[in-house]
Amino acid sequence: MSNNKWIAELKTVLQVAKARLDVREKKKTEQVAKERYTVADYIRNNKVPRARIAVEHLIREDYKIEAMDRVEAYLDTLLMRMQLIKDRPKNGAVDPAIEQPLANILWSAPFLTQDIPELGQITLMFKKHFGPEYVSMCEQNKLGMVDVDLLRCLSCDLIPKLLIEKYLVEICRSQNVPFEPDQTVMAQDEFWTIGQRYVQHPPANDDKKLPPPPPPSSNGGGASSS
């Protein structure tokens, strides 16, 4: 395959992947919004354990939406810098201007290929262009270029209990549903603890009225002459 034909095909696949990511993000965002109502209903019906399980799923979906948005931005960056890929000499070094977006796309591809199959195609195409060894280094983040937020979004195996409680608090607040979070879990949050202390032990109000301001001076409030 000629270089021009390969570049044209790569550009098409990148554009399709970007468009599919945009569609999937919107669908997932709409679905998450609906599922928040379901969580609120669980709380209304005293099904708190089910609400926590549902919220854990919501958090994972929120993470995936954030990851998709970041990958979409990296795809856009590659599309804008296609000339740097095209001009790379055979067996030459990868241009520093495309290393970070490329590393992030290749690392995240295995996590998102089920939703965005074009990412698998992109991986194969870059294996042929940059070599399987380089692509493998990106997939394992051996270059250390993967965005820490992308790592957080796609590598999260265990959702912290504190984050689940915070989600429940916010969902119930937005839906006007009474909810008492697990105080033991929330105690891990320094700001929550301070707020609870304030609610339970508000500062004493002094009922004494402040003295009235002094009457204006006889010279109309102007500075006294020396």
Side-chain angles (χ1 to χ4, degrees), residues 175-191:
Q175 301 294 323
N176 293 317
V177 177
F179 173 66
E180 185 65 33
D182 187 324
Q183 298 298 317
T184 305
V185 174
M186 294 303 292
Q188 300 171 36
D189 185 344
E190 179 184 355
F191 294 104

Side-chain angles (χ1 to χ4, degrees), residues 39 50-59 164 167-168 171:
V39 170
R50 289 190 66 179
R52 289 195 173 99
I53 293 170
V55 162
E56 186 172 346
H57 171 71
L58 282 184
I59 294 171
I164 293 173
Y167 256 70
L168 280 170
I171 289 171

Side-chain angles (χ1 to χ4, degrees), residues 199-218:
V199 170
Q200 294 169 12
H201 305 287
N205 292 322
D206 191 351
D207 293 329
K208 295 180 180 178
K209 294 182 179 179
L210 293 173
S217 60
S218 57

Side-chain angles (χ1 to χ4, degrees), residues 105-158:
I105 291 167
L106 293 173
W107 179 84
S108 61
F111 297 96
L112 299 174
T113 300
Q114 187 173 353
D115 291 291
I116 317 296
E118 289 78 15
L119 291 175
Q121 291 178 252
I122 291 168
T123 299
L124 292 174
M125 294 181 76
F126 279 125
K127 276 184 180 179
K128 291 179 181 178
H129 192 68
F130 293 115
E133 185 177 345
Y134 179 81
V135 170
S136 178
M137 288 175 69
C138 290
E139 290 175 328
Q140 298 175 54
N141 194 25
K142 287 187 176 179
L143 301 177
M145 290 188 175
V146 179
D147 185 342
V148 291
D149 288 319
L150 197 55
L151 288 167
R152 169 181 56 81
C153 290
L154 294 178
S155 298
C156 185
D157 295 324
L158 184 65

